Every structure is written in C-alpha cells, then in structure tokens.
DNA sequence: CCCGGAACCTGAAGGC
DNA sequence: TGCCTTCAGGTTCCGG
C-alpha cells in the first residue's frame, strides 16, 4: 500500500517521463477517479499544459503545470498506481498522453485512487503535519505532538494532520523497532521512548525508500517493477512468523480498527 | 478540540 | 466446484 516510501518512489520514477512534457490529451475512463472539477473541466484545464515539476507531500503527488496556478494532484490510497507506457492492463481509470509519446496511466483495482486539480498546493499541503525528514520535525516537536494525545500511539503517528506519510505497515515496523505496544496512549510514552520512536520512524521510512517501497500487495512502480522493502519487514503482515527479537511469534491484533502486527513479548502492554 | 467508528470499493481469501 | 461472507486499508465524514 502506498505510504511515504512508495509515493516517494513513484514520484522519483515518474518524473523522468513527464517533466518538461506537454499534456497532449487526456482520457477519463472512470469519472469517479477525477475528484474535481468535473471530468470535462479537468480535461480542458490540463490539456496543452506542460508538467514543469513533480513533488511529493505526505502521500500526495503534485504535478506542477505551466502557465497558471493549477496543480494536478494524485493520491494512490490503498492500491493505486501511476504507470509510464504500461502494457495493456485492467483497472485503468485515467490516461495522460504526453508530447513525447509517453502515456501515463492511473490504475487501481479498488477505485479509491484519485486525481484532481487545486489552485495551489497549499490547499492540501497546509492540512498535513510535518514531513518526517523535515529539519523542523525534531524529537522535541514529536514529543509535543504525542504529549497532547491520549489516543493509541499508533493512531497518532497514522494521523496525517499530525505527521505526514506514515501508513499502517511502516507504523507497525517503527513501533516494533522501538519495542512499543501500539495501543499505548500516546501521552504515556517516556522521553526515552519518544526519542526511540522518532529514530525508528525515520529509520524504517529511509530503508523503505532505499528499497523502492514495499510490494506487499498491489503496489507497483511506474515501470511495472515491484519494490523490495517488504523483504526487510520484521513484523508487518507477518502473523505467525518468528519474532526476530525473541523466541516468540508475531501476532495480529486490532488497534483502532487497523490490523496491527506485534511481538507480544518484545512490545508488552505494560 | 479530541477521539472513535462507519463508509467508500472490490479482489482475495476463508468457510462450508 | 462454487457461492457467500469477511477482510484490507487511506481518507473523509459524522457523532459523542
């Protein structure tokens, strides 16, 4: 599922195909995949524009366009993909035809993924919490966020308005790396635990980016390749596996309605 | 403001 | 064999 490392990889790998290219035509095969404006208006507003840059914020991708303030946004949600010059396939919802004979397709078997236009990237960016790798995202700032919440620590690090980019898989990996039970109230973490979790979050995300994302299920890169980050996962989606830290087994529990993988011995409830 | 839960959607997996 | 049910998960919306 596309989280920060997967979206970062998509952004990096789609950029060479699209930056500096003009959008010649647009096909909307599934109207609901265009969140706004209407599919007709969407097509009209982006046709003829040149993609000047591609950036990422949280799990969102921004395609910056020439000649105006419109930003073309994309979110993969659970199973979306952006593919460059793909082989014919199913679940294609939007196709961009570029002036270098490149085609970019948004595909998603679940139909959750969306593309849309905003006047300015701040319309989305301003609602998101800090990027985990930002200079101003310090241990102190992270501690301040956790201290104010009684919700499970996992729910807090998944909240995009508080910290952006972390999803279910990397949350589990980070909490295991820190040996913290995911349902602990966020404000109950000791300063040492806050620091450890801060470090673990950045560690698992960095590793995920290095491995081009985790292909646990549907995630594929713009060229069609899989990522390999999941081969390094220690707990995520690993119920029944042996815990790498002790002789116990990984268990699946539910925290705030989310499937959550833990080692009950290494991450005690307290 | 804070917190929790349902809804959105459909392929895959499990049950009988 | 195959039908039916349940599950997964990012975000948004709604209720307490």
């Amino acid at each position: 599922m596309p989280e920060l490392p997967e979206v970062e990889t998509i952004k990096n790998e789609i950029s060479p195909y699209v930056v500096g290219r003009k959008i010649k035509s647009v096909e909307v095969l599934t109207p609901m995949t265009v969140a706004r404006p209407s599919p007709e208006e969407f097509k009209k507003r982006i046709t003829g524009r040149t993609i000047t840059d591609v950036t990422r914020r949280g799990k969102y991708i921004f395609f910056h366009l020439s000649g105006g303030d419109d930003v073309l946004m994309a979110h993969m949600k659970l199973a979306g993909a952006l593919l460059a010059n793909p082989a014919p396939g199913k679940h294609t919802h939007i196709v961009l035809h570029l002036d270098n004979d490149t085609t970019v397709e948004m595909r998603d078997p679940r139909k959750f993924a969306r593309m849309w236009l905003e006047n300015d990237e701040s319309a989305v960016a301003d609602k998101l919490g800090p990027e985990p790798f930002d200079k101003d995202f310090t241990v102190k700032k992270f501690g301040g966020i956790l201290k104010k919440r009684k919700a499970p620590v996992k729910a807090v690090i998944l909240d995009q308005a508080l910290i952006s980019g972390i999803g279910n898989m990397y949350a589990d990996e980070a909490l295991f790396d820190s040996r913290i039970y995911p349902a602990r109230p966020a404000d109950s973490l000791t300063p040492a635990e806050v620091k450890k979790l801060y470090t673990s979050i950045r560690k698992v995300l960095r590793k995920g980016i290095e491995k081009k994302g985790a292909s646990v299920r549907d995630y594929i890169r713009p060229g069609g390749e899989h990522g390999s980050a999941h081969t390094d996962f220690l707990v995520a989606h690993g119920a029944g596996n042996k815990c790498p830290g002790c002789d116990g087994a990984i268990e699946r529990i539910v925290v705030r309605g989310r499937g959550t993988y833990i080692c009950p011995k290494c991450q005690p409830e307290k």
Side-chain angles (χ1 to χ4, degrees), chain A residues 189-250:
Chain A
L189 269 60
T190 66
E193 287 173 325
V194 169
K195 189 172 182 192
K196 183 72 181 70
L197 183 55
Y198 173 88
T199 306
S200 295
I201 286 170
R202 306 211 329 175
K203 174 177 150 186
V204 300
L205 292 176
R206 188 176 297 113
K207 208 161 148 190
I209 294 169
E210 281 168 17
K211 299 271 183 162
K212 317 280 189 198
S215 293
V216 169
R217 259 187 101 129
D218 306 275
Y219 164 72
I220 45 172
R221 291 154 52 193
E225 308 93 336
H226 290 266
S228 60
H230 54 290
T231 60
D232 286 346
F233 282 173
L234 298 180
V235 294
H237 296 276
N241 293 354
K242 189 176 176 305
C243 170
C246 72
D247 58 355
I250 304 305

Side-chain angles (χ1 to χ4, degrees), chain A residues 13-14 16-18 81-87 102-105 221-224:
Chain A
E13 297 189 349
I14 202 78
Y17 291 97
V18 305
L82 283 178
L83 302 179
N85 300 319
T102 290
T103 347
V104 173
E105 294 192 3
R221 291 154 52 193

Side-chain angles (χ1 to χ4, degrees), chain A residues 99-115:
Chain A
D99 67 355
N100 55 348
D101 287 325
T102 290
T103 347
V104 173
E105 294 192 3
M106 172 171 260
R107 293 186 186 175
D108 182 4
R110 303 251 185 297
K111 291 190 184 168
F112 278 120
R114 294 287 184 269
M115 292 184 101

Side-chain angles (χ1 to χ4, degrees), chain A residues 63-255:
Chain A
F63 294 89
H64 303 270
L65 303 173
S66 62
D69 293 328
D70 283 336
V71 179
L72 171 58
M73 306 203 161
H75 196 296
M76 307 307 143
K77 294 288 180 81
L78 307 180
L82 283 178
L83 302 179
N85 300 319
K90 303 170 78 166
H91 312 299
T92 301
H93 307 305
I94 296 176
V95 186
L96 307 180
H97 296 279
L98 308 182
D99 67 355
N100 55 348
D101 287 325
T102 290
T103 347
V104 173
E105 294 192 3
M106 172 171 260
R107 293 186 186 175
D108 182 4
R110 303 251 185 297
K111 291 190 184 168
F112 278 120
R114 294 287 184 269
M115 292 184 101
W116 71 99
L117 293 175
E118 296 284 357
N119 291 330
D120 193 278
E121 70 171 77
S122 67
V124 164
D126 289 357
K127 292 175 185 151
L128 296 173
E131 289 285 324
F133 295 113
D134 262 9
K135 296 180 296 293
D136 61 342
F137 182 63
T138 58
V139 180
K140 195 174 171 185
K141 183 156 188 168
F142 182 50
I145 291 167
L146 296 176
K147 212 57 197 167
K148 288 199 277 279
R149 327 270 152 172
K150 298 188 191 311
V153 59
K154 179 173 176 180
V156 172
I157 64 174
L158 285 176
D159 189 333
Q160 302 302 299
L162 303 177
I163 312 159
S164 59
I166 303 168
N168 206 37
M169 303 183 298
Y170 292 95
D172 283 356
E173 289 300 309
L175 288 161
F176 174 76
D177 192 65
S178 296
R179 303 296 192 261
I180 295 170
Y181 186 68
R184 289 258 310 276
D187 65 359
S188 75
L189 269 60
T190 66
E193 287 173 325
V194 169
K195 189 172 182 192
K196 183 72 181 70
L197 183 55
Y198 173 88
T199 306
S200 295
I201 286 170
R202 306 211 329 175
K203 174 177 150 186
V204 300
L205 292 176
R206 188 176 297 113
K207 208 161 148 190
I209 294 169
E210 281 168 17
K211 299 271 183 162
K212 317 280 189 198
S215 293
V216 169
R217 259 187 101 129
D218 306 275
Y219 164 72
I220 45 172
R221 291 154 52 193
E225 308 93 336
H226 290 266
S228 60
H230 54 290
T231 60
D232 286 346
F233 282 173
L234 298 180
V235 294
H237 296 276
N241 293 354
K242 189 176 176 305
C243 170
C246 72
D247 58 355
I250 304 305
E251 273 181 21
R252 179 181 184 276
I253 61 173
V254 175
V255 177

Side-chain angles (χ1 to χ4, degrees), chain A residues 26-28 33-47 70-73 94-96 114-117:
Chain A
V26 181
E27 293 174 74
V28 177
T33 303
V34 177
R36 76 183 86 94
S38 69
E40 288 316 308
E41 173 90 15
F42 176 83
K43 282 196 256 187
K44 199 188 300 177
R45 291 237 306 253
I46 65 174
T47 300
D70 283 336
V71 179
L72 171 58
M73 306 203 161
I94 296 176
V95 186
L96 307 180
R114 294 287 184 269
M115 292 184 101
W116 71 99
L117 293 175

